[in-house]
Amino acid sequence: MSYQSIEEIRKRCEAEGIEFWKAVQLEDCNERGASTEDSWNEMTRMWRIMCENVDAYEPDLVSRSGLVGKEGGRMEEYQKKGDTLCGDFIAKVMTVALKMGCNNACMKRIIAAPTAGACGVLPAVLILISKKMKCRRKRWWRQCM
């Protein structure tokens, strides 16, 4: 995306009287030369892949180097004990983010959102916000943002 900051998106939303998600979609359409329908379908595909990748986590799988793989499971155990330093929601976000990172390191389906180094952050936040707000699957962007 060609936006350089959240502030840029916010200004566009104000200027054009559109919602945040729509500003992102319009930029995607412009950048890729895609229709709004194609853009929506691609976002839906990426959303599905993110959700599937969390479910595909295997706590006993480790990377070829042996350095990464079990952290998602360890964080989940810690989170489920209920006495977390940051609270339950943030502990869940960290759990999902670590699971995504471990999957990438173990060469499962790789998700680079926003980058391979921070691959779990965006999916973790989006997945857990959608669950917390009980958003309908097909239109959660519009319902929750």
Coordinates of all heavy atoms in Angstrom, one line a residue, residues 66-117:
G66 N 16.1 -25.6 14.7 CA 15.8 -26.0 16.1 C 15.6 -24.8 17.1 O 15.3 -25.1 18.2
L67 N 15.7 -23.6 16.6 CA 15.6 -22.5 17.5 C 14.2 -22.0 17.7 O 13.9 -21.3 18.7 CB 16.4 -21.3 16.9 CG 17.9 -21.6 16.8 CD1 18.6 -20.4 16.1 CD2 18.5 -21.8 18.2
V68 N 13.3 -22.3 16.8 CA 11.9 -21.7 16.8 C 10.9 -22.8 16.6 O 11.1 -23.7 15.8 CB 11.7 -20.6 15.8 CG1 10.3 -20.0 15.8 CG2 12.8 -19.5 15.9
G69 N 9.7 -22.7 17.2 CA 8.6 -23.6 17.0 C 7.7 -23.8 18.1 O 6.5 -23.9 17.9
K70 N 8.2 -23.9 19.3 CA 7.3 -24.2 20.5 C 6.8 -23.0 21.2 O 6.0 -23.2 22.1 CB 8.1 -25.1 21.4 CG 8.5 -26.5 20.7 CD 9.2 -27.4 21.7 CE 9.5 -28.7 21.0 NZ 9.9 -29.7 21.9
E71 N 7.3 -21.8 20.8 CA 6.9 -20.6 21.6 C 5.4 -20.4 21.6 O 4.9 -19.9 22.7 CB 7.6 -19.4 21.0 CG 9.1 -19.4 21.2 CD 9.8 -20.3 20.2 OE1 9.2 -20.8 19.2 OE2 11.0 -20.6 20.4
G72 N 4.7 -20.6 20.5 CA 3.3 -20.4 20.5 C 2.5 -21.3 21.5 O 1.6 -20.8 22.2
G73 N 3.0 -22.5 21.6 CA 2.4 -23.4 22.6 C 2.7 -23.1 24.0 O 1.8 -23.1 24.9
R74 N 3.9 -22.6 24.3 CA 4.3 -22.2 25.6 C 3.5 -20.9 26.0 O 3.1 -20.8 27.2 CB 5.8 -21.9 25.6 CG 6.7 -23.1 25.6 CD 8.1 -22.8 25.6 NE 8.9 -23.9 25.4 CZ 10.1 -24.0 24.7 NH1 10.5 -22.9 24.1 NH2 10.7 -25.1 24.6
M75 N 3.4 -20.0 25.1 CA 2.6 -18.8 25.4 C 1.2 -19.1 25.7 O 0.5 -18.6 26.6 CB 2.7 -17.8 24.3 CG 2.1 -16.5 24.6 SD 2.9 -15.6 25.9 CE 1.6 -14.5 26.4
E76 N 0.6 -20.1 24.9 CA -0.8 -20.5 25.2 C -1.0 -21.1 26.5 O -1.9 -20.8 27.2 CB -1.2 -21.5 24.1 CG -2.7 -21.8 24.1 CD -3.2 -22.5 22.9 OE1 -2.4 -23.5 22.4 OE2 -4.2 -22.2 22.4
E77 N 0.0 -21.9 26.9 CA -0.1 -22.5 28.3 C -0.1 -21.4 29.4 O -0.9 -21.5 30.3 CB 1.1 -23.5 28.5 CG 1.0 -24.8 27.8 CD 2.3 -25.6 27.9 OE1 3.0 -25.4 28.9 OE2 2.6 -26.5 27.1
Y78 N 0.8 -20.5 29.2 CA 0.9 -19.4 30.1 C -0.4 -18.6 30.2 O -0.9 -18.3 31.2 CB 2.1 -18.5 29.7 CG 2.2 -17.2 30.5 CD1 2.5 -17.1 31.8 CD2 1.9 -15.9 29.8 CE1 2.6 -15.9 32.5 CE2 2.0 -14.7 30.5 CZ 2.4 -14.7 31.9 OH 2.5 -13.6 32.5
Q79 N -1.0 -18.3 29.0 CA -2.2 -17.5 28.9 C -3.4 -18.2 29.5 O -4.2 -17.6 30.2 CB -2.5 -17.2 27.4 CG -3.8 -16.5 27.1 CD -4.9 -17.4 26.8 OE1 -4.8 -18.3 26.1 NE2 -6.1 -17.0 27.4
K80 N -3.4 -19.5 29.4 CA -4.5 -20.3 29.9 C -4.5 -20.4 31.4 O -5.5 -20.7 32.1 CB -4.6 -21.7 29.3 CG -5.1 -21.6 27.9 CD -5.2 -23.0 27.2 CE -5.8 -22.9 25.8 NZ -6.0 -24.2 25.2
K81 N -3.3 -20.2 32.0 CA -3.2 -20.2 33.5 C -4.0 -19.0 34.1 O -4.4 -19.1 35.3 CB -1.8 -20.2 34.0 CG -1.1 -21.5 33.7 CD 0.3 -21.5 34.2 CE 1.0 -22.8 33.8 NZ 2.5 -22.8 34.2
G82 N -4.2 -17.9 33.3 CA -5.0 -16.8 33.8 C -4.3 -15.8 34.6 O -4.9 -14.7 34.9
D83 N -3.1 -15.9 34.9 CA -2.4 -14.9 35.8 C -1.3 -14.2 34.9 O -0.1 -14.3 35.3 CB -1.8 -15.5 37.0 CG -1.3 -14.5 38.0 OD1 -1.7 -13.4 38.0 OD2 -0.4 -14.9 38.8
T84 N -1.7 -13.6 33.8 CA -0.7 -13.0 32.9 C -0.4 -11.6 33.3 O -1.2 -10.9 33.9 CB -1.2 -13.0 31.5 OG1 -2.4 -12.3 31.4 CG2 -1.5 -14.5 31.0
L85 N 0.8 -11.2 33.0 CA 1.3 -9.8 33.3 C 0.5 -8.8 32.5 O 0.2 -7.7 33.1 CB 2.8 -9.7 32.9 CG 3.4 -8.4 33.2 CD1 3.5 -8.2 34.7 CD2 4.9 -8.5 32.7
C86 N 0.1 -9.0 31.3 CA -0.6 -8.0 30.4 C -2.1 -8.2 30.4 O -2.7 -7.4 29.6 CB 0.0 -8.1 29.0 SG 1.8 -7.8 29.0
G87 N -2.6 -9.2 31.0 CA -4.1 -9.4 30.9 C -4.4 -10.4 29.8 O -3.5 -10.8 29.0
D88 N -5.6 -11.0 29.9 CA -5.9 -12.1 29.0 C -5.9 -11.8 27.5 O -5.4 -12.5 26.7 CB -7.3 -12.6 29.4 CG -7.6 -13.9 28.7 OD1 -6.8 -14.9 28.9 OD2 -8.7 -14.0 28.0
F89 N -6.5 -10.6 27.1 CA -6.6 -10.3 25.7 C -5.2 -10.1 25.1 O -5.0 -10.7 24.0 CB -7.5 -9.1 25.5 CG -7.7 -8.8 24.0 CD1 -8.6 -9.5 23.3 CD2 -6.9 -7.8 23.4 CE1 -8.7 -9.3 21.9 CE2 -7.1 -7.5 22.0 CZ -8.0 -8.3 21.3
I90 N -4.4 -9.4 25.7 CA -3.0 -9.2 25.2 C -2.2 -10.5 25.1 O -1.5 -10.8 24.2 CB -2.2 -8.1 25.9 CG1 -2.9 -6.7 25.8 CG2 -0.8 -8.0 25.5 CD1 -3.1 -6.2 24.4
A91 N -2.4 -11.3 26.2 CA -1.8 -12.6 26.2 C -2.3 -13.5 25.0 O -1.5 -14.2 24.4 CB -2.0 -13.4 27.5
K92 N -3.6 -13.4 24.7 CA -4.1 -14.1 23.5 C -3.5 -13.6 22.2 O -3.2 -14.4 21.3 CB -5.6 -14.1 23.5 CG -6.3 -14.9 24.5 CD -7.8 -14.8 24.4 CE -8.5 -15.6 25.5 NZ -9.9 -15.4 25.5
V93 N -3.4 -12.3 22.1 CA -2.8 -11.7 20.9 C -1.3 -12.2 20.8 O -0.9 -12.6 19.7 CB -2.8 -10.1 21.0 CG1 -1.9 -9.5 19.9 CG2 -4.2 -9.6 20.9
M94 N -0.6 -12.2 21.9 CA 0.8 -12.7 21.8 C 0.8 -14.2 21.4 O 1.7 -14.6 20.6 CB 1.5 -12.5 23.1 CG 1.8 -11.0 23.4 SD 2.9 -10.7 24.8 CE 1.8 -11.0 26.1
T95 N -0.1 -15.0 21.9 CA -0.2 -16.4 21.6 C -0.4 -16.6 20.1 O 0.4 -17.3 19.4 CB -1.3 -17.1 22.4 OG1 -1.0 -17.0 23.8 CG2 -1.4 -18.5 22.0
V96 N -1.3 -15.9 19.5 CA -1.6 -16.0 18.1 C -0.5 -15.5 17.3 O 0.0 -16.2 16.3 CB -2.9 -15.3 17.7 CG1 -3.1 -15.3 16.2 CG2 -4.1 -16.0 18.4
A97 N 0.1 -14.4 17.6 CA 1.3 -13.9 16.9 C 2.4 -14.8 16.9 O 3.1 -15.1 15.9 CB 1.7 -12.5 17.5
L98 N 2.7 -15.5 18.1 CA 3.8 -16.4 18.1 C 3.5 -17.7 17.3 O 4.4 -18.2 16.7 CB 4.1 -16.8 19.6 CG 4.8 -15.7 20.4 CD1 4.8 -16.0 21.9 CD2 6.3 -15.6 19.9
K99 N 2.3 -18.1 17.3 CA 1.9 -19.3 16.5 C 2.1 -19.0 15.1 O 2.7 -19.9 14.3 CB 0.4 -19.7 16.8 CG 0.2 -20.4 18.1 CD -1.3 -20.7 18.2 CE -1.6 -21.5 19.5 NZ -3.0 -21.9 19.6
M100 N 1.8 -17.8 14.6 CA 2.0 -17.5 13.2 C 3.5 -17.4 12.9 O 3.9 -17.9 11.8 CB 1.3 -16.1 12.9 CG -0.2 -16.0 13.1 SD -1.0 -17.0 11.9 CE -1.4 -15.8 10.7
G101 N 4.2 -16.8 13.8 CA 5.7 -16.7 13.5 C 6.3 -18.1 13.5 O 7.2 -18.4 12.7
C102 N 5.9 -19.0 14.4 CA 6.4 -20.3 14.5 C 6.1 -21.1 13.2 O 6.9 -21.8 12.6 CB 5.9 -21.1 15.7 SG 6.6 -20.5 17.3
N103 N 4.8 -20.9 12.7 CA 4.4 -21.6 11.5 C 5.3 -21.1 10.3 O 5.8 -21.9 9.5 CB 3.0 -21.3 11.1 CG 2.0 -22.1 11.9 OD1 2.4 -23.1 12.5 ND2 0.8 -21.8 11.9
N104 N 5.6 -19.8 10.3 CA 6.5 -19.3 9.2 C 7.9 -19.9 9.3 O 8.5 -20.4 8.3 CB 6.6 -17.8 9.3 CG 5.4 -17.1 8.6 OD1 4.5 -17.7 8.1 ND2 5.5 -15.8 8.5
A105 N 8.4 -19.9 10.5 CA 9.8 -20.4 10.8 C 9.9 -21.9 10.5 O 10.9 -22.4 10.0 CB 10.2 -20.2 12.2
C106 N 8.8 -22.6 10.6 CA 8.8 -24.1 10.4 C 8.4 -24.4 8.9 O 8.1 -25.5 8.6 CB 7.8 -24.8 11.4 SG 8.4 -24.7 13.1
M107 N 8.3 -23.3 8.1 CA 8.0 -23.5 6.7 C 6.7 -24.1 6.4 O 6.5 -24.7 5.4 CB 9.1 -24.3 6.0 CG 10.5 -23.7 6.2 SD 10.7 -22.0 5.7 CE 10.5 -22.0 4.0
K108 N 5.7 -23.7 7.2 CA 4.3 -24.1 6.9 C 3.9 -23.0 6.0 O 4.7 -22.3 5.3 CB 3.5 -24.1 8.2 CG 4.0 -25.3 9.1 CD 3.0 -25.5 10.2 CE 2.0 -26.5 9.7 NZ 1.2 -27.1 10.7
R109 N 2.6 -22.7 5.9 CA 2.1 -21.7 5.0 C 2.6 -20.3 5.5 O 2.3 -19.9 6.6 CB 0.6 -21.7 4.9 CG 0.1 -20.7 3.8 CD -1.3 -21.1 3.4 NE -1.6 -20.6 2.1 CZ -2.7 -20.9 1.5 NH1 -3.6 -21.6 2.1 NH2 -2.9 -20.4 0.3
I110 N 3.4 -19.7 4.7 CA 4.1 -18.4 5.1 C 3.1 -17.2 4.9 O 2.6 -17.0 3.8 CB 5.4 -18.2 4.4 CG1 6.3 -19.4 4.8 CG2 6.0 -16.9 4.7 CD1 7.7 -19.4 4.2
I111 N 3.0 -16.4 5.9 CA 2.2 -15.2 5.8 C 3.0 -14.1 6.2 O 3.6 -14.0 7.3 CB 1.0 -15.3 6.8 CG1 0.2 -16.6 6.5 CG2 0.2 -14.1 6.8 CD1 -1.2 -16.6 6.8
A112 N 3.2 -13.2 5.3 CA 4.1 -12.0 5.6 C 3.1 -10.8 5.7 O 2.9 -10.0 4.8 CB 5.0 -11.8 4.5
A113 N 2.6 -10.6 6.9 CA 1.6 -9.5 7.1 C 2.0 -8.8 8.4 O 1.7 -9.4 9.5 CB 0.2 -10.1 7.2
P114 N 2.5 -7.7 8.5 CA 2.9 -6.9 7.3 C 4.2 -7.3 6.7 O 4.5 -7.0 5.5 CB 3.0 -5.5 7.9 CG 3.4 -5.7 9.4 CD 2.7 -7.0 9.7
T115 N 5.1 -7.9 7.5 CA 6.4 -8.4 6.9 C 6.6 -9.8 7.5 O 5.9 -10.2 8.5 CB 7.6 -7.5 7.4 OG1 7.7 -7.6 8.8 CG2 7.4 -6.1 6.9
A116 N 7.6 -10.6 7.0 CA 7.8 -11.9 7.5 C 8.3 -11.8 8.9 O 8.0 -12.7 9.8 CB 8.8 -12.6 6.6
G117 N 9.0 -10.8 9.3 CA 9.5 -10.6 10.7 C 8.4 -10.3 11.7 O 8.6 -10.6 12.8

